[in-house]
Amino acid sequence: MFNLNENNRIVMAQHPSDMRIGVNGMCGQVRRVGLDPTNGDVYIFVGKNRKIMKLLHWERGGYAMYYKRLEQGRFHPRIVLRQGMGFRSMRWDELVLLMEGISPKAARRRRYQKPEKQSEK
């Protein structure tokens, strides 16, 4: 069962990862930068060729790993920043777009905002 939602903190690896590693290897990458993989956060890893994405998440009874492989195309080139080891935060809506193969930096319509009332002088 897919047990992720907007209440989870989502962090993404800033470097391409070896997609052959499993849960233990990914936990090691998370611990290497001083984070705790059992804290309930969602850790995202993307392969070097940007066709595969793995999500690591600790649930009540153990780890859950979600795997996404794009049949056509690749995840956006800037998905991995290649700026050394570490993780960066990400919003839920950005993760949903990435899982669908859409760049979160793609042009979007701006939300409607009410014009501010001008104060009379």
Side-chain angles (χ1 to χ4, degrees):
M1 185 170 130
F2 197 71
N3 194 22
L4 304 178
N5 58 42
E6 62 274 357
N7 295 327
N8 295 106
R9 180 173 170 246
I10 302 164
V11 289
M12 175 176 237
Q14 294 185 13
H15 57 283
S17 300
D18 183 356
M19 292 289 104
R20 297 174 294 179
I21 63 175
V23 172
N24 291 335
M26 291 189 175
C27 287
Q29 287 187 17
V30 171
R31 286 187 183 106
R32 195 173 303 133
V33 295
L35 298 173
D36 180 18
T38 61
N39 64 4
D41 293 348
V42 178
Y43 296 96
I44 304 170
F45 301 89
V46 177
K48 186 175 181 179
N49 66 5
R50 299 187 334 266
K51 290 186 129 219
I52 299 172
M53 177 186 291
K54 287 185 178 181
L55 283 68
L56 179 68
H57 175 64
W58 172 262
E59 294 179 354
R60 252 187 308 174
Y63 290 102
M65 182 179 291
Y66 303 101
Y67 181 94
K68 172 79 176 207
R69 184 184 77 189
L70 296 178
E71 286 298 318
Q72 291 184 341
R74 298 175 191 274
F75 293 109
H76 192 268
R78 293 187 47 110
I79 195 170
V80 286
L81 302 176
R82 303 177 202 277
Q83 295 176 350
M85 301 299 281
F87 290 83
R88 62 182 170 99
S89 292
M90 176 179 277
R91 294 188 327 256
W92 171 254
D93 59 337
E94 291 175 326
L95 173 60
V96 171
L97 290 173
L98 285 175
M99 292 293 286
E100 294 300 320
I102 302 170
S103 168
K105 301 289 183 189
R108 296 185 239 174
R109 288 179 36 186
R110 298 202 183 262
R111 286 183 178 254
Y112 174 78
Q113 294 181 355
K114 288 178 126 180
E116 294 181 18
K117 293 182 180 181
Q118 295 181 357
S119 60
E120 294 182 26
K121 295 183 181 178

